[in-house]
Amino acid sequence: AQYIAYIFFRSGSIYLWDFADEIVFKYIPIRVIISNPNGRMSSTFNNPNIFAEFMIMAFPFAVYYSFIGVNTMYRKICTAAIFSIAFGIAFSFSRSGYVALILIMIFYAISKIRKYTMVISGVLSAFLICQRPVIERFFSIPDIDTSTEKRLDIWSQGIKFIREKPVFGHGAGVENIWNILKGLGIDTPHMHNILLQILSEGGILGLIIFIGIIWQILRTAFVLIEEESYAHIVGITLIAFIIGFLATGMTDFPLMTP
């Protein structure tokens, strides 16, 4: 519905479930603020960047199941999901999402599997038929705008207080770091960088644990790649997932949202 709204009405705000929202929000004891993120696709997420992160991490699994689905119908559904995800990332206008998708496509190209060539062609086609604002947003990746300047300021301030407790960090929890950033005059929930966020919360020890987990996943993936049949594709899927996860994590904190 959001795709149709943007293409025909230049708006990403069609809420087909308003009637249900009103009933739920009326009785839950939580203050809910519903806002339109400037016409950017966000689905049921409150932030287009978070939506793009979710799409990026779901993308490799949609590709995987489009190859080895239990039946033809299942594979067709997953193939449709690939194009849907590509359009969703395009209209989220998330530049980190664009970069992550490009890196995954490069990795698929390197893998030299014929089936991935079809995926790459399909994703490129999805972007080529997008509206002009999507193309303009894509080519604005190197630009230094207000969003980029804010992140640079967050990183600069964050590095300063990371140095205060470099080994153990300031304590786990996004709210903890959020309060520290507020104290520095920056109203943002996290460091907008997964490595700096982990260093802030857990220090060097936390970063070592994080790197250890990532390495274990990659090591397993490389072992699977050496296998035959579907195990090979499982390994490629895991690596593509990690690429997307880390790429979006360079300008955001994917672990903030379950």
Side-chain angles (χ1 to χ4, degrees):
Q2 285 191 325
Y3 301 153
I4 296 170
Y6 192 89
I7 292 172
F8 290 101
F9 306 107
R10 294 303 177 91
S11 168
S13 304
I14 282 189
Y15 300 102
L16 302 179
W17 49 86
D18 264 354
F19 69 94
D21 286 348
E22 291 178 4
I23 297 172
V24 173
F25 295 154
K26 181 179 179 180
Y27 293 103
I28 62 173
I30 302 173
R31 184 168 176 258
V32 179
I33 300 174
I34 300 177
S35 60
N36 173 26
N38 301 320
R40 297 169 63 183
M41 299 294 177
S42 60
S43 185
T44 56
F45 295 89
N46 66 348
N47 186 310
N49 292 323
I50 297 175
F51 165 69
E53 290 165 12
F54 178 79
M55 291 292 98
I56 283 293
M57 286 181 273
F59 180 78
F61 297 100
V63 173
Y64 172 79
Y65 284 110
S66 70
F67 293 161
I68 65 164
V70 293
N71 54 56
T72 303
M73 180 59 69
Y74 194 84
R75 290 195 294 271
K76 287 180 179 179
I77 292 172
C78 290
T79 301
I82 293 172
F83 289 96
S84 180
I85 289 171
F87 276 114
I89 293 169
F91 287 114
S92 73
F93 295 100
S94 171
R95 288 176 293 188
S96 63
Y98 294 171
V99 171
L101 192 59
I102 289 171
L103 292 176
I104 291 174
M105 291 300 99
I106 292 173
F107 174 67
Y108 282 164
I110 294 172
S111 68
K112 296 181 180 179
I113 296 179
R114 184 178 299 176
K115 291 180 179 179
Y116 285 125
T117 304
M118 295 185 292
V119 173
I120 295 169
S121 301
V123 171
L124 290 176
S125 300
F127 269 81
L128 288 174
I129 64 176
C130 285
Q131 299 285 312
R132 182 178 174 182
V134 174
I135 307 301
E136 291 176 348
R137 181 67 171 175
F138 176 81
F139 285 106
S140 73
I141 289 174
D143 296 346
I144 303 296
D145 56 12
T146 304
S147 176
T148 305
E149 288 178 350
K150 182 178 180 181
R151 281 176 168 80
L152 291 174
D153 184 38
I154 294 169
W155 297 339
S156 175
Q157 295 292 335
I159 289 172
K160 291 179 182 178
F161 75 79
I162 286 172
R163 289 174 178 171
E164 296 174 4
K165 297 181 179 180
V167 180
F168 297 103
H170 291 265
V174 172
E175 187 172 357
N176 181 37
I177 302 304
W178 192 350
N179 290 332
I180 294 175
L181 288 171
K182 279 185 177 179
L184 296 172
I186 302 173
D187 188 12
T188 187
H190 50 73
M191 294 288 294
H192 283 278
N193 181 284
I194 192 168
L195 300 180
L196 292 180
Q197 182 72 22
I198 290 172
L199 278 170
S200 301
E201 295 185 18
I204 295 173
L205 292 179
L207 184 62
I208 291 173
I209 294 172
F210 174 76
I211 293 174
I213 294 172
I214 296 296
W215 169 244
Q216 184 61 39
I217 296 172
L218 290 175
R219 189 175 70 168
T220 302
F222 286 127
V223 170
L224 291 172
I225 285 177
E226 297 299 323
E227 301 292 333
E228 299 293 333
S229 188
Y230 297 135
H232 179 79
I233 300 179
V234 171
I236 290 176
T237 301
L238 289 175
I239 294 175
F241 170 83
I242 293 297
I243 289 172
F245 174 75
L246 293 178
T248 56
M250 291 301 100
T251 55
D252 215 318
F253 185 49
L255 295 177
M256 179 179 177
T257 305

